[in-house]
């Protein structure tokens, strides 16, 4: 538990330190966000806000995690694979952001191109786990165990890719992805600790600390956005931690809010294509509440509170599994 606290503090302090020079760099180079035409009118004022803040979040995570893992003498191959997966997802997200910035719009990677990158990267931790763990293809929930066998790679990649996209969709308001992510990764850290997955626990604790530090710059009114560089990578990492820590099913509880955001988009698109009617005023669902008159700050606080409750619920369920 002490090492989790050390990892958390390292992530937070390093993110706070790296944020200032990186945001100054973005401002000098005029690397800003381009707001979609279909976004709520209130978002127009965010045009030009520095983006790709995920760069300094990931740097803080990588450095903080390596230091914490070294102190805990847990710089293992498993830890290396997790961090390498994060790095690859960061590159994919940065490529998406770079294309948007260069094109001065919101058209980045194609949906197909982005998905193929996510799947390819998700195979890295999946294949490593299957080669290093004889029971890797088992998925459990308490005493209930399902032997997936050759279906497991499909399942694991789906978890990782799904988490990446779900977290990416949640990043639509100042501080939303960061604040909800703090609690989701804290839950992952504690679940990893309970499962004896020290590497997973330390890395997750570092991420939650880094996101808390990032909130200083990203809370309403945001000085910087994490961009796909951050949201795509952190979502992929969330799924990777669940797969490597063997709590894939529990991730549905931990990340239920991100799942809700994704489902709102699926429901909206399906309804409009089949009936011509919209279920929500706008999707993802955080925009629906925004158009219902909720302030951006209220949405962020409520969603963060829900994320915290989901984390607590996941821990309770996890403890019941062990008992």
């Amino acid at each position: 538990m002490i090492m989790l606290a050390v990892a958390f503090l390292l992530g937070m302090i390093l993110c706070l330190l790296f944020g200032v020079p990186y945001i100054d760099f973005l401002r000098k180079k005029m690397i800003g966000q381009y707001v979609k035409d279909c976004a709520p009118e209130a978002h127009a004022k965010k045009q030009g806000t520095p983006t790709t803040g995920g760069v300094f979040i990931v740097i803080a995570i990588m450095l903080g995690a390596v230091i914490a893992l070294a102190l805990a003498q847990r710089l293992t191959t498993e830890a290396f694979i997790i961090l390498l997966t994060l790095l690859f997802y960061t590159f994919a997200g940065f490529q998406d952001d770079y294309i948007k910035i260069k094109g001065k719009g919101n058209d980045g990677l194609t949906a197909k191109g982005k998905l193929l990158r996510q799947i390819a990267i998700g195979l890295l931790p999946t294949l490593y786990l299957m080669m290093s763990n004889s029971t890797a293809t088992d998925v459990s929930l308490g005493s209930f165990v399902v032997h997936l066998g050759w279906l497991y790679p499909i399942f694991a990649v789906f978890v990782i890719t799904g988490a990446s996209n779900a977290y990416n969709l949640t990043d639509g308001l100042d501080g939303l992805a960061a604040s909800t992510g703090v609690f989701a990764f804290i839950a992952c850290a504690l679940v990893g600790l309970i499962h004896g997955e020290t590497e997973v626990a330390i890395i997750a604790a570092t991420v939650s600390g880094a996101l808390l530090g990032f909130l200083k710059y990203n809370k309403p009114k945001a000085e910087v956005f994490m961009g796909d560089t951050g949201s795509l990578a952190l979502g992929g990492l969330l799924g990777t931690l669940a797969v490597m820590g063997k709590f894939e099913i529990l991730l549905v509880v931990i990340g239920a809010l991100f799942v809700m955001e994704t489902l709102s988009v699926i429901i909206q698109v399906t309804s409009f294509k089949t009936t011509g009617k919209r279920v929500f005023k706008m999707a993802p669902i955080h925009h629906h509440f925004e158009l219902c008159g909720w302030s951006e700050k209220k949405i962020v606080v409520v969603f963060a509170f829900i994320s915290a409750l989901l984390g607590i619920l996941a821990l309770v369920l996890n403890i019941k599994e062990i008992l």
Side-chain angles (χ1 to χ4, degrees), residues 76-137:
T76 61
T77 304
E78 180 179 343
F80 174 76
I81 292 296
I82 294 172
L83 293 176
L84 189 61
T85 302
L86 169 63
L87 201 57
F88 284 152
Y89 267 117
T90 303
F91 289 148
F94 185 81
Q95 185 181 13
D96 192 40
D97 282 333
Y98 178 77
I99 294 172
K100 292 175 185 176
I101 293 166
K102 189 176 180 181
K104 297 183 178 181
N106 256 285
D107 295 322
L109 293 169
T110 63
K112 182 179 178 181
K114 186 184 291 187
L115 182 61
L116 288 175
R117 284 167 175 78
Q118 289 172 304
I119 291 172
I121 298 167
L123 282 170
L124 173 63
T126 300
L127 295 178
Y128 166 78
L129 185 65
M130 292 181 67
M131 289 187 293
S132 62
N133 188 341
S134 59
T135 61
T137 58

Side-chain angles (χ1 to χ4, degrees), residues 61-78:
I61 292 169
M62 297 289 288
L63 185 56
V66 167
I67 293 172
L69 288 164
L71 290 173
Q73 298 183 334
R74 301 296 296 187
L75 269 175
T76 61
T77 304
E78 180 179 343

Side-chain angles (χ1 to χ4, degrees), residues 39-296:
E41 291 182 13
H43 286 229
K45 61 186 179 183
K46 299 182 181 185
Q47 184 86 9
T49 300
T51 189
T52 71
V55 169
F56 72 86
I57 298 175
V58 172
I59 292 174
I61 292 169
M62 297 289 288
L63 185 56
V66 167
I67 293 172
L69 288 164
L71 290 173
Q73 298 183 334
R74 301 296 296 187
L75 269 175
T76 61
T77 304
E78 180 179 343
F80 174 76
I81 292 296
I82 294 172
L83 293 176
L84 189 61
T85 302
L86 169 63
L87 201 57
F88 284 152
Y89 267 117
T90 303
F91 289 148
F94 185 81
Q95 185 181 13
D96 192 40
D97 282 333
Y98 178 77
I99 294 172
K100 292 175 185 176
I101 293 166
K102 189 176 180 181
K104 297 183 178 181
N106 256 285
D107 295 322
L109 293 169
T110 63
K112 182 179 178 181
K114 186 184 291 187
L115 182 61
L116 288 175
R117 284 167 175 78
Q118 289 172 304
I119 291 172
I121 298 167
L123 282 170
L124 173 63
T126 300
L127 295 178
Y128 166 78
L129 185 65
M130 292 181 67
M131 289 187 293
S132 62
N133 188 341
S134 59
T135 61
T137 58
D138 294 347
V139 176
S140 63
L141 183 62
S143 58
F144 182 70
V145 180
V146 178
H147 305 283
L148 292 180
W150 62 271
L151 289 174
Y152 183 77
I154 299 173
F155 170 75
V157 171
F158 174 78
V159 169
I160 296 170
T161 303
S164 178
N165 284 314
Y167 197 87
N168 184 232
L169 286 171
T170 306
D171 185 30
L173 299 177
D174 296 355
L176 183 58
S179 59
T180 52
V182 167
F183 295 109
F185 281 101
I186 286 176
C188 287
L190 295 176
V191 170
L193 185 66
I194 294 169
H195 283 209
E197 294 287 344
T198 308
E199 295 89 343
V200 168
I202 288 176
I203 293 171
T206 310
V207 178
S208 58
L211 285 174
L212 185 62
F214 181 68
L215 271 173
K216 180 184 185 303
Y217 309 111
N218 185 239
K219 66 180 184 295
K221 179 178 181 269
E223 297 177 55
V224 65
F225 299 143
M226 65 171 67
D228 283 3
T229 306
S231 59
L232 209 70
L234 293 173
L237 178 61
L238 188 65
T240 300
L241 292 173
V243 168
M244 296 292 276
K246 298 305 296 175
F247 54 90
E248 301 98 331
I249 302 300
L250 205 59
L251 183 62
V252 177
V253 179
I254 294 171
L257 190 143
F258 309 130
V259 174
M260 178 185 72
E261 293 272 25
T262 305
L263 287 176
S264 70
V265 174
I266 294 172
I267 292 169
Q268 185 85 327
V269 172
T270 303
S271 176
F272 188 75
K273 284 187 175 181
T274 56
T275 68
K277 296 180 180 179
R278 292 180 173 86
V279 176
F280 308 103
K281 292 186 177 182
M282 186 177 286
I285 200 168
H286 56 259
H287 288 317
H288 170 79
F289 289 111
E290 194 176 9
L291 293 177
C292 283
W294 286 30
S295 69
E296 196 164 352

